[in-house]
Amino acid sequence: MSVMEKLQSGAQKLGLSLSPRQLSQFYIYYQELVAWNQRLNLTRITGYEDVQIKHFLDSLTVSLAWPPRKNGAAFRVIDVGTGAGMPGLPLKISFPNIKLTLLEATAKKTAFLRHLSQKLGLENVAIAVGRAEDVAHQSQYRERFDAVLARGVAPLVTLAELALPFCRIGGSFIALKKGDIGPEMDQASRVVSLLGGKLREIKGVNLDEFSDKRVLVIIDKVSPTPEPYPRRPGIPGKRPLLAPAPEPDGNMRHPQDDDR
Ligand code: SAH
């Protein structure tokens, strides 16, 4: 009897064929997630089929948006607010050559991530404990990644401020979203360029496995993120950036200019 059959058939639709070793890594992931979830609040999704689809396959849909190849050099990925490791770890299992950083503010969750990466025998997985607002100002993280990923962390306008600073110019930020993202997009699209980004595409994920309009919002990094961003911890969520408005004399100012 093979394991993780739902995941395997879903992944095939994404053009990914998972080896027996990869499937068994996913099975271990599932078991550890459920075991640790008894003590830690990691996820509400714990059923065998649900985890395969709503966690693992959902994470793998990112592969619709990226080419994890870069002239031989390792493709560097950061997952911002990774929680129990998603979408980063399922992608690492499926694309073992990427260099992955998992960023998570809650230390208890990073204990799980450390345990799991070791148990899965994964190499080139770095785990950073902290808030994106702080970590994104450290030079070894700022504008260092080819792809910045996030799922379930914050509305796009907040997320863009947290995520784009990590992205190197020429790289991209990919947010996993679902449902009606129209209003969120309207709010975000006006500040993306302020943060050095440019919307490339909102890519629909058309798999029968999902019935709730899942999309990937793909934003390319085209210019450096100005130094004040992200603002201090909590501010990007509490006071989302507003679009720059021209003043009567033609100068631009931002209402949050004084925050950092
Ligand atoms: N990406 C995971 C978890 C989503 S829950 C998934 O899709 O399953 C959101 C997670 O982001 C939580 O674990 C929370 O601790 C973390 N988080 C929220 N804001 C953050 C921030 N500013 N910096 C780092 N982590 C953050």
Side-chain angles (χ1 to χ4, degrees):
M1 231 278 321
S2 65
V3 294
M4 301 265 116
E5 280 173 337
K6 294 267 174 203
L7 172 63
Q8 187 175 26
S9 68
Q12 261 159 14
K13 299 182 194 172
L14 296 170
L16 304 174
S17 76
L18 299 171
S19 69
R21 171 174 152 79
Q22 286 167 323
L23 290 168
S24 80
Q25 286 177 311
F26 275 111
Y27 189 63
I28 293 167
Y29 193 165
Y30 159 71
Q31 287 179 311
E32 294 296 319
L33 180 69
V34 171
W36 280 59
N37 205 41
Q38 318 239 326
R39 298 186 279 121
L40 277 185
N41 188 15
L42 291 170
T43 179
R44 272 170 295 143
I45 297 168
T46 55
Y48 182 54
E49 294 198 348
D50 271 0
V51 170
Q52 291 180 66
I53 302 300
K54 295 180 182 164
H55 278 328
F56 298 161
L57 182 62
D58 189 42
S59 297
L60 296 186
T61 62
V62 169
S63 67
L64 296 168
W66 75 2
R69 256 170 239 103
K70 200 185 71 174
N71 304 329
F75 193 72
R76 300 191 46 155
V77 178
I78 186 168
D79 182 3
V80 177
T82 189
M86 281 153 296
L89 279 177
L91 288 160
K92 175 67 185 171
I93 293 172
S94 307
F95 299 86
N97 294 330
I98 64 173
K99 275 189 95 166
L100 177 66
T101 298
L102 300 170
L103 173 61
E104 170 53 48
T106 307
K108 282 189 207 158
K109 295 185 182 176
T110 60
F112 169 72
L113 297 171
R114 225 167 266 120
H115 163 81
L116 182 63
S117 326
Q118 200 176 25
K119 184 122 190 171
L120 296 177
L122 299 175
E123 281 166 25
N124 283 321
V125 177
I127 295 159
V129 195
R131 295 195 58 130
E133 291 93 324
D134 295 319
V135 176
H137 286 284
Q138 298 171 15
S139 61
Q140 74 268 35
Y141 293 101
R142 193 169 182 91
E143 303 199 321
R144 294 275 190 244
F145 295 90
D146 299 297
V148 183
L149 313 176
R151 186 185 81 158
V153 178
L156 264 175
V157 66
T158 300
L159 208 47
E161 183 175 351
L162 297 178
L164 277 168
F166 289 105
C167 200
R168 72 168 179 85
I169 293 168
S172 47
F173 160 44
I174 304 165
L176 293 81
K177 289 281 173 187
K178 63 182 173 187
D180 176 18
I181 62 153
E184 224 182 299
M185 266 325 297
D186 288 345
Q187 190 190 19
S189 57
R190 286 180 265 155
V191 303
V192 161
S193 67
L194 167 68
L195 296 162
K198 185 170 188 291
L199 178 66
R200 189 205 309 172
E201 190 184 358
I202 300 171
K203 197 173 175 67
V205 174
N206 298 312
L207 292 181
D208 296 339
E209 280 83 350
F210 303 111
S211 52
D212 48 6
K213 288 205 278 181
R214 299 204 174 205
V215 297
L216 302 168
V217 179
I218 310 166
I219 295 171
D220 292 322
K221 182 76 174 268
V222 294
S223 59
T225 303
E227 200 283 328
Y229 307 112
R231 292 165 294 161
R232 287 175 286 111
I235 303 292
K238 241 175 283 165
R239 289 204 279 135
L241 285 171
L242 302 171
E247 297 213 326
D249 64 2
N251 289 336
M252 307 279 262
R253 74 177 285 281
H254 311 305
Q256 289 83 6
D257 274 350
D258 43 329
D259 271 341
R260 238 184 193 275

